[in-house]
Amino acid sequence: MDPKYQRVELNDGHFMPVLGFGTYAPPEVPRNRAVEVTKLAIEAGFRHIDSAYLYNNEEQVGLAIRSKIADGSVKREDIFYTSKLWCTFFQPQMVQPALESSLKKLQLDYVDLYLLHFPMALKPGETPLPKDENGKVIFDTVDLSATWEVMEKCKDAGLAKSIGVSNFNCRQLEMILNKPGLKYKPVCNQVFEFQLTSEDMKVLDGLNRNYRYVVMDFLMDHPDYPFSDEY
């Protein structure tokens, strides 16, 4: 695998390797396995490493990346690292601290791509999937364009080279694209290879699915994903 010739140019001028290594694993898999398998992925030629706050393994993935940098296998600029802002951190004042927390776990100075993980806000707190006494997910009311504005500030601060979204439908994307004073449009929309139903929304802790990236230049041709019109 020669990663130098397998990249796509994003709309902000940065290049993303087209083949990425996803690091999500079910909770029963020991987190230290992420160190081993991420090292193996880099040794095999992967240069795009994908993780997220929700995966609860950024400390281990960061250790693997730094280990391969330390042994001379790669340089930091060779690695394209993607992380994602989880839905409990969508309040604007929580965005940058969440990214800084990920960077602290990773012990990296920046991420190459930072995404809004899902186009819905959840109640802030320690629980990734907050529920009420009846077992229903507790949503939060957040203007996603305000969340995006802070994402732009993270990019300006050099904490993220590129910023994008994940699992947005066309209407939700237009909320961002129509934001007055938009500075950066999303570079991509990382989407699952299946469409979520209302039942799927109840089992967000079972998100072990394949996904792909849709570069933003072609994004508006993507089908409208059936999320609730409320989010």
Side-chain angles (χ1 to χ4, degrees), residues 114-132:
Y114 201 46
L115 305 176
L116 298 179
H117 205 147
F118 277 95
M120 60 182 187
L122 299 177
K123 179 184 177 181
E126 297 296 324
T127 304
L129 195 65
K131 297 180 180 180
D132 64 18

Side-chain angles (χ1 to χ4, degrees), residues 156-177:
D156 285 338
L159 301 177
K161 297 291 186 181
S162 300
I163 52 177
V165 298
S166 182
N167 302 297
F168 275 51
N169 63 29
C170 291
R171 180 188 58 78
Q172 293 154 347
L173 281 165
E174 288 171 353
M175 290 172 56
I176 304 296
L177 295 173

Side-chain angles (χ1 to χ4, degrees), residues 53-54 86-88 122-123 125-130 204:
Y53 167 86
L54 184 65
W86 183 238
C87 309
T88 53
L122 299 177
K123 179 184 177 181
E126 297 296 324
T127 304
L129 195 65
L204 290 176

Side-chain angles (χ1 to χ4, degrees), residues 9-193:
E9 184 174 4
L10 304 174
N11 61 36
D12 63 359
H14 292 117
F15 287 85
M16 179 179 70
V18 297
L19 185 61
F21 181 76
T23 62
Y24 174 81
E28 59 269 21
V29 177
R31 279 186 290 170
N32 59 12
R33 287 294 306 278
V35 179
E36 175 188 354
V37 297
T38 303
K39 285 182 181 180
L40 290 173
I42 293 172
E43 291 168 3
F46 284 92
R47 295 297 178 262
H48 184 173
I49 308 298
D50 179 282
S51 188
Y53 167 86
L54 184 65
Y55 301 172
N56 196 28
N57 65 5
E58 290 197 292
E59 184 176 350
Q60 290 75 28
V61 173
L63 175 60
I65 293 172
R66 298 193 318 275
S67 174
K68 300 314 293 180
I69 292 173
D71 71 13
S73 298
V74 292
K75 298 178 181 178
R76 172 63 185 93
E77 56 267 28
D78 296 330
I79 297 295
F80 188 99
Y81 179 79
T82 295
S83 186
K84 308 176 193 74
L85 179 71
W86 183 238
C87 309
T88 53
F89 300 104
F90 277 11
Q91 290 287 347
Q93 71 274 14
M94 302 179 74
V95 175
Q96 184 165 329
L99 174 52
E100 290 172 344
S101 177
S102 283
L103 290 171
K104 184 177 181 180
K105 292 177 183 177
L106 293 159
Q107 294 188 39
L108 298 177
D109 294 328
Y110 64 91
V111 300
D112 295 274
L113 178 60
Y114 201 46
L115 305 176
L116 298 179
H117 205 147
F118 277 95
M120 60 182 187
L122 299 177
K123 179 184 177 181
E126 297 296 324
T127 304
L129 195 65
K131 297 180 180 180
D132 64 18
E133 62 275 11
N134 297 314
K136 294 184 177 181
V137 175
I138 306 174
F139 294 98
D140 194 15
T141 302
V142 178
D143 180 355
L144 291 181
S145 65
T147 306
W148 182 257
E149 186 175 2
V150 186
M151 294 279 284
E152 293 183 328
K153 292 179 180 178
C154 289
K155 177 176 169 65
D156 285 338
L159 301 177
K161 297 291 186 181
S162 300
I163 52 177
V165 298
S166 182
N167 302 297
F168 275 51
N169 63 29
C170 291
R171 180 188 58 78
Q172 293 154 347
L173 281 165
E174 288 171 353
M175 290 172 56
I176 304 296
L177 295 173
N178 293 333
K179 182 183 80 69
L182 176 75
K183 193 168 185 179
Y184 306 111
K185 70 176 182 177
V187 299
C188 68
N189 187 21
Q190 185 199 66
V191 297
F192 290 106
E193 291 283 12

